[in-house]
Amino acid sequence: QVQLVESGGGLVQAGGSLRLSCALSGTTLSRYAMGWFRQAPGKEREFVAAIRWDAGNTNYDDSVKGRFTISRDNAKNTVYLQMNSLKPDDTAVYYCAGRLSTLIPVTPQLYNYWGQGTQVTVSS
């Protein structure tokens, strides 16, 4: 089975930084497009960032451009989300997702595999 496990969430003050990790098991990360999504209470799951299987392209939601960076290490079967200059509005459960594709979808319905999520809370 393909499994994704997120880690690295926690409580941080506004302006601080966190780095989320997503470990893939059951297969190799190579050839998987990977994305990060987040969901706050009462809101739908929204796109944050995505990266192509070979890291040749990335995409970010406008709300995180210039603050967040998605990266991957296929040899370690791990995807990262570096989050800087965090704001209270960034508070949410963050999920990583994967799809065996050369494309980098930005809609959650197009991803086949999901992690359990990790909570990020940014205080004022």
Side-chain angles (χ1 to χ4, degrees), residues 68-89:
F68 291 10
T69 302
I70 187 171
S71 62
R72 66 192 297 160
D73 187 338
N74 288 354
K76 295 182 178 180
N77 270 8
T78 303
V79 180
Y80 305 96
L81 184 68
Q82 179 66 45
M83 305 184 294
N84 299 325
S85 301
L86 283 162
K87 306 174 181 179
D89 286 347

Side-chain angles (χ1 to χ4, degrees), residues 12-115:
V12 65
Q13 290 184 318
S17 299
L18 286 173
R19 189 176 77 157
L20 306 183
S21 298
C22 175
L24 174 73
S25 64
T27 188
T28 58
L29 190 63
S30 180
R31 306 301 178 95
Y32 277 80
M34 300 296 296
W36 285 96
F37 295 79
R38 65 187 181 186
Q39 188 166 18
K43 296 183 178 180
E44 295 186 0
R45 191 166 300 186
E46 66 176 3
F47 170 76
V48 176
I51 187 168
R52 200 168 70 179
W53 71 273
D54 61 355
N57 288 99
T58 58
N59 194 17
Y60 298 91
D61 184 77
D62 287 343
S63 66
V64 304
K65 284 182 178 178
R67 299 189 298 121
F68 291 10
T69 302
I70 187 171
S71 62
R72 66 192 297 160
D73 187 338
N74 288 354
K76 295 182 178 180
N77 270 8
T78 303
V79 180
Y80 305 96
L81 184 68
Q82 179 66 45
M83 305 184 294
N84 299 325
S85 301
L86 283 162
K87 306 174 181 179
D89 286 347
D90 295 319
T91 296
V93 177
Y94 283 70
Y95 300 88
C96 69
R99 178 182 175 87
L100 188 61
S101 175
T102 57
L103 306 176
I104 45 173
V106 299
T107 57
Q109 290 82 3
L110 294 178
Y111 286 86
N112 304 112
Y113 304 103
W114 292 86

